[in-house]
Amino acid sequence: MKESIRNKIFEPTAMSLSTVNKRNKVSNRIVLLKGVVNNSFVFYTNLKSRKSYELNTNKNVAAVIWWPQIGKQVRIEGYVKIVNKKEADYYFSTRTRESQIGAWASNQSSKLKNRKTLIKRFKIIEKRFENKDIPRPSSWSGYEIKPFLIEFWQGRENRLHDRIVYKKINQKKWKKYRLNP
């Protein structure tokens, strides 16, 4: 991560997140990794979004952070747990005012008649909170991915890539091994 930031890679915290719905259909989207806390990978979202419904149905996830410009990726398998309200409140308070308003204005993943409707809701929320702090909506929070497998991938010549895996074998112990490319 530090190397990708140092190399000024666009959206270095972009992480592909895969979830599974109640019909075992896989869905994938990009979320932004907002921290590594308590050995967990943290991202935030609307709790009424499709991804949240899927996470409530099946807590197992897979995620990939890929930095093609430096030839590296991190692959994560784990399960999710919602962050506590204090952490969600704190992170929400660090977002730009416009992003806070956007969290209130967007009914994430639901059908939208047109962009004009969204902008109108944004302006209504902006007016409602004019000259006031914006509280975190109750329908907005974060998730921690508790990993049970992490793979570090480094691209190499002739497709002889390095693949180093850490697999959790109990509450505190991890086993490290190398995979063929």
Side-chain angles (χ1 to χ4, degrees):
M1 180 67 67
K2 288 178 184 175
E3 184 179 351
S4 69
I5 292 167
R6 204 171 41 249
N7 282 286
K8 296 181 176 25
I9 291 175
F10 179 72
E11 293 290 6
T13 64
M15 176 171 74
S16 174
L17 177 73
S18 296
T19 57
V20 179
N21 70 14
K22 60 185 172 188
R23 293 189 180 112
N24 288 324
K25 185 177 177 187
V26 178
S27 180
N28 191 280
R29 82 282 292 145
I30 300 295
V31 298
L32 297 180
L33 176 65
K34 290 300 178 180
V36 179
V37 181
N38 301 324
N39 299 315
S40 299
F41 299 87
V42 180
F43 66 94
Y44 291 86
T45 190
N46 186 309
L47 298 179
K48 294 181 180 178
S49 66
R50 177 180 173 182
K51 85 179 79 63
S52 289
Y53 285 119
E54 291 174 354
L55 292 172
N56 290 331
T57 300
N58 186 333
K59 301 217 177 292
N60 293 295
V61 298
V64 175
I65 307 165
W66 183 45
W67 304 287
Q69 299 90 337
I70 59 174
K72 293 183 179 188
Q73 79 174 7
V74 177
R75 190 172 66 82
I76 303 156
E77 294 178 11
Y79 65 92
V80 293
K81 177 184 159 199
I82 201 154
V83 301
N84 69 48
K85 289 179 181 184
K86 186 177 175 183
E87 288 176 59
D89 287 342
Y90 172 75
Y91 175 71
F92 189 80
S93 74
T94 68
R95 291 170 56 112
T96 66
R97 186 166 184 83
E98 291 77 14
S99 292
Q100 292 174 346
I101 293 167
W104 279 90
S106 173
N107 297 321
Q108 192 176 15
S109 300
S110 67
K111 289 184 180 178
L112 178 64
K113 183 179 176 182
N114 54 43
R115 185 157 181 84
K116 189 176 174 181
T117 302
L118 178 61
I119 300 303
K120 184 178 178 182
R121 279 199 313 255
F122 184 93
K123 290 183 185 298
I124 289 167
I125 300 296
E126 188 175 41
K127 185 86 171 145
R128 182 193 321 168
F129 291 114
E130 194 172 30
N131 301 316
K132 297 179 192 169
D133 286 340
I134 302 172
R136 177 181 61 86
S138 61
S139 62
W140 191 94
S141 191
Y143 289 94
E144 300 177 19
I145 301 174
K146 301 282 193 183
F148 50 75
L149 184 139
I150 303 172
E151 177 185 334
F152 295 91
W153 179 93
Q154 170 70 61
R156 299 285 187 205
E157 286 185 23
N158 305 316
R159 302 198 54 82
L160 298 176
H161 312 305
D162 285 328
R163 295 178 67 191
I164 308 300
V165 174
Y166 290 82
K167 186 173 184 177
K168 201 167 201 176
I169 54 175
N170 63 37
Q171 295 286 29
K172 295 183 180 183
K173 271 189 128 172
W174 291 79
K175 182 179 182 180
K176 177 183 172 184
Y177 54 91
R178 181 180 286 271
L179 293 176
N180 277 286

